[in-house]
Amino acid sequence: MTSKFTELAIDCADPRRLARFWCSVLDYEVQDEGDGIVIIGSPVVPEGKNRLGPVPPTLTFAHVPEGKTVKNRLHLDVNPTDREQEEEVRRLLDLGARHVDVGQGDESWVVLADLEGNEFCVLAGRCP
């Protein structure tokens, strides 16, 4: 018996704002919202963790009082599905992401940060 990856929890100052950003990035939708918590997930597989086999993980944004202070030890990598990397980076910058330098040097991926400074990478290859 094994486990499957179903959720990623992200601490943040403004769960609604950050959830809206990531819904736009991933084409997800809000699945649940409560006291200081917003859960987003794929509209294609809304049953999530209750489905047999692999599923797109949900993202849970939870309000915490402290701010981010150091580089994330865990981050998301995203792949554009219907455009090239450069176009996707421009789209994400228009949504409010920003370029960040985490010492990556000259690599094929682009490192960005979301609205609260959480780093993520936009990979070069398109993956439908």
Side-chain angles (χ1 to χ4, degrees):
M1 189 115 221
T2 62
S3 295
K4 65 180 176 178
F5 175 45
T6 59
E7 302 173 47
L8 178 65
I10 301 168
D11 291 348
C12 59
D14 189 341
R16 284 186 181 151
R17 180 174 178 246
L18 204 53
R20 279 193 310 270
F21 171 82
W22 281 102
C23 279
S24 295
V25 171
L26 300 171
D27 196 23
Y28 271 22
E29 61 187 21
V30 173
Q31 292 183 338
D32 196 13
E33 192 169 348
D35 188 30
I37 293 178
V38 179
I39 300 169
I40 68 171
S42 171
V44 177
V45 189
E47 64 272 24
K49 63 185 171 188
N50 296 322
R51 181 183 171 131
L52 294 177
V55 296
T58 60
L59 302 180
T60 300
F61 299 94
H63 176 262
V64 296
E66 63 276 356
K68 181 179 178 300
T69 57
V70 297
K71 177 182 171 286
N72 292 2
R73 303 251 342 234
L74 176 72
H75 69 267
L76 299 177
D77 287 346
V78 298
N79 280 287
T81 58
D82 61 353
R83 65 197 79 196
E84 297 303 322
Q85 179 190 44
E86 184 178 320
E87 295 171 282
E88 181 66 355
V89 168
R90 273 196 309 274
R91 184 182 81 86
L92 299 176
L93 292 171
D94 288 345
L95 291 173
R98 62 184 170 79
H99 284 279
V100 291
D101 183 351
V102 293
Q104 68 268 19
D106 187 24
E107 298 292 345
S108 63
W109 58 85
V110 176
V111 182
L112 300 177
D114 69 16
L115 306 177
E116 293 201 12
N118 299 302
E119 300 89 4
F120 67 100
C121 296
V122 181
L123 304 182
R126 284 195 290 169
C127 296

